[in-house]
Amino acid sequence: QVQLVESGGGLVQVGGSLRLTCVASGTPSKLDTMGWYRVTPGKRGELIASITKDGTTDYADSVKGRFTISGDSAVSTVNLDMNSLKPEDTAVYYCKGTWQLATFWGRGTQVTVSS
């Protein structure tokens, strides 16, 4: 059974930095993609960063230039380095992984940016 476990969330001040980590286990092979999806109450969820097993990355405009996604060559662990954090980055961040037609989700980790 595939499991994704996030860590690294917390409380940070405006302008600060945090690193989120997601570790995948139980995968039959390399995941096709891994990424980070965030949900803020009252707002639409947003896929903010993703990385494919060949290392191709993609970012939402809202985080481009501030967040960096990275992963190991097996795409079993991904990190999200978040810099220059803003209050609007406050959300629950979920790790998302895909393999063939299946999608897997972590339980989420809270990130709160205080002003």
Side-chain angles (χ1 to χ4, degrees):
Q1 185 176 356
V2 176
Q3 288 188 319
L4 303 179
V5 179
E6 305 100 334
S7 62
L11 175 66
V12 64
Q13 291 187 331
V14 169
S17 300
L18 276 178
R19 166 176 272 203
L20 304 183
T21 296
C22 174
V23 179
S25 61
T27 57
S29 65
K30 296 180 184 181
L31 292 177
D32 295 326
T33 68
M34 290 185 76
W36 292 93
Y37 187 92
R38 68 183 182 188
V39 177
T40 304
K43 293 186 180 179
R44 199 169 186 174
E46 181 182 24
L47 181 65
I48 57 168
S50 63
I51 185 168
T52 65
K53 60 184 177 183
D54 65 0
T56 302
T57 59
D58 193 26
Y59 298 92
D61 288 342
S62 58
V63 304
K64 204 170 288 184
R66 299 188 298 123
F67 292 9
T68 302
I69 189 169
S70 61
D72 66 15
S73 59
V75 199
S76 59
T77 300
V78 287
N79 299 306
L80 184 69
D81 290 301
M82 305 185 294
N83 298 307
S84 303
L85 283 161
K86 306 175 181 179
E88 52 263 44
D89 294 319
T90 296
V92 179
Y93 286 70
Y94 295 89
C95 182
K96 175 184 177 183
T98 64
W99 183 71
Q100 296 186 349
L101 298 180
T103 300
F104 309 99
W105 294 92
R107 291 189 172 185
T109 185
Q110 176 72 45
V111 171
T112 302
V113 183
S114 66
S115 56

